[in-house]
């Protein structure tokens, strides 16, 4: 798989990260904040140094959380791609893979509609996250308080397995690459696409989150993702043969 073929996954992550604002933004902002510094009178070093150290600590926590989250995405992608590849090899189901690209692009259409709040079918899938989280919550006792980058790394790794309609949309693409390595690469590209938004949220907090949750931003991102999905469906049907479309579409021809 070439780097060019990873652009769609990266772009979906970048545009779809407005959804991450609502699902992950709060946890990042809340848990990445550095511990309160000592009172002014008790500080043995200048206030400027305290502020700088707090900022660096906060940045380290945000980065650690996102590293753990993306690592979980890559693991899921490797498992999905490897299992699908094994099934295809054993059964010779090449037509199944071709159908999978149609389904992957259809998932992008659904994701675009979801981001626009035009149709919230994916919300039913995400509601399962509450059930999963209730079962996973006991694991939190091993990492709280979240007072170090290492614990934030563990939190991110745990959080990356929560059901998310956007993640599943791209995971479908990873599955039908038919390769564990390619599946991991697809999810890495997707995770890196979400990274700028969540890094910014971790540092800027509630003000940025409120802006990104406005309807105009969500609709704009949703329209673009919807467009990628529709273009991919047309490409999969043989309606667009230009090679540069591989950078914009998820199709069997791109793999």
């Amino acid at each position: 798989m070439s780097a060019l073929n990873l652009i769609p996954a990266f772009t979906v992550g970048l545009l779809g990260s407005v959804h991450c604002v609502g699902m992950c933004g709060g946890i990042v902002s809340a848990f990445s904040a550095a511990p309160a510094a000592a009172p002014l009178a008790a500080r043995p070093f200048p206030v400027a140094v305290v502020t700088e150290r707090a900022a660096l600590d906060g940045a380290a926590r945000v980065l650690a959380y996102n590293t753990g989250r993306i690592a979980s995405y890559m693991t899921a992608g490797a498992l999905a791609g490897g299992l699908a590849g094994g099934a295809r090899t054993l059964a010779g189901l090449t037509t199944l893979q071709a159908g999978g690209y149609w389904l992957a692009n259809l998932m992008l259409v659904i994701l675009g509609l979801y981001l626009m709040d035009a149709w919230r079918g994916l919300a039913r899938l995400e509601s399962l996250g509450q059930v999963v989280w209730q079962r996973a919550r006991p694991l939190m006792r091993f990492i709280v308080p979240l007072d170090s980058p290492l614990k934030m790394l563990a939190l991110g790794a745990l959080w990356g397995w929560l059901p998310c309609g956007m993640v599943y949309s791209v995971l479908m693409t990873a599955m039908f690459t038919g390769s564990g390595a390619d599946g991991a690469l697809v999810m890495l590209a997707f995770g890196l696409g979400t990274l700028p938004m969540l890094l910014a949220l971790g540092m800027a907090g509630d003000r940025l989150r409120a802006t990104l949750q406005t309807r105009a931003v969500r609709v704009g991102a949703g329209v673009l993702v919807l467009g990628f999905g529709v273009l991919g469906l047309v490409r999969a049907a043989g309606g667009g043969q230009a090679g540069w479309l591989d950078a914009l579409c998820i199709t069997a021809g791109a793999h």
Side-chain angles (χ1 to χ4, degrees), residues 88 93-105 176 236 251-252:
R88 184 186 62 182
L93 299 178
T94 55
T95 55
L96 177 62
Q97 186 183 29
Y101 289 104
W102 281 83
L103 183 57
N105 282 289
F176 287 101
T251 65

Side-chain angles (χ1 to χ4, degrees), residues 17-67:
S17 57
V18 297
H19 170 65
C20 299
V21 172
M23 188 167 183
C24 302
I27 189 93
V28 175
S29 297
F31 291 151
S32 63
L40 286 174
R43 292 174 183 167
F45 38 80
V47 175
V49 177
V50 174
T51 303
E52 181 180 354
R53 290 185 179 180
L56 289 175
D57 187 47
R61 292 171 186 225
V62 172
L63 187 58
Y65 167 83
N66 284 287
T67 299

